[in-house]
Amino acid sequence: MKKMIAVSLFASVLASGFGAHAGTEGENANFLTEGEIRKIDLDTGRVTLRHGPIENLNMPGMTMIFQAVPAEQLSDLQAGDKVRFRASKNNGSFIATDIDKAQ
C-alpha cells in the first residue's frame, strides 16, 4: 500500500509540470545554474553536481549526475568547487556544458 501511494505521489509530481521542458534543451537553455561539484569521473566524463533550480528544465535543486560536454572541461575542476553551468536534456541524458568555477 505504501509503495502504491509513493508511486501515485511521484506520478502526480511529474504530471504537475516537473520536467515539463525536460524533453528538450528548453527555450531558456542559456540560463546558468549554480552548483557544487560532488564527484568527477574523468574516465566517463560524468560529474555529480549539487545544484540549484534549473529553470529551463523546470527542475528543483537536487544532486544528480550530468554528462559533461566536452568532458575535457572537467580536468581543471575538483570536488568541492562552486561552479556555474548550462544544463539540458538530450535523449534521456542530462548534459552539462560551459562548466566554470564561480567567482
Side-chain angles (χ1 to χ4, degrees):
M1 181 69 165
K2 288 181 182 179
K3 194 174 198 176
M4 283 181 24
I5 292 170
V7 170
S8 295
L9 179 61
F10 181 70
S12 66
V13 167
L14 288 177
S16 71
F18 175 81
H21 298 105
T24 67
E25 288 194 25
E27 58 196 50
N28 299 314
N30 289 328
F31 281 115
L32 287 174
T33 301
E34 294 184 4
E36 179 183 342
I37 295 178
R38 306 301 286 165
K39 181 180 176 183
I40 294 175
D41 186 336
L42 292 174
D43 293 333
T44 64
R46 292 186 177 151
V47 59
T48 303
L49 292 165
R50 181 174 65 194
H51 62 78
I54 301 176
E55 294 183 35
N56 60 298
L57 296 177
N58 196 27
M59 181 182 293
M62 63 180 78
T63 300
M64 58 187 288
I65 298 171
F66 290 85
Q67 185 67 46
V69 177
E72 294 78 25
Q73 67 187 317
L74 300 175
S75 62
D76 293 332
L77 300 171
Q78 60 186 358
D81 283 346
K82 305 275 190 218
V83 296
R84 295 181 73 184
F85 65 100
R86 296 185 199 290
S88 62
K89 188 172 182 184
N90 188 6
N91 294 326
S93 295
F94 289 99
I95 310 295
T97 60
D98 302 319
I99 305 172
D100 289 313
K101 285 185 186 180
Q103 300 298 334

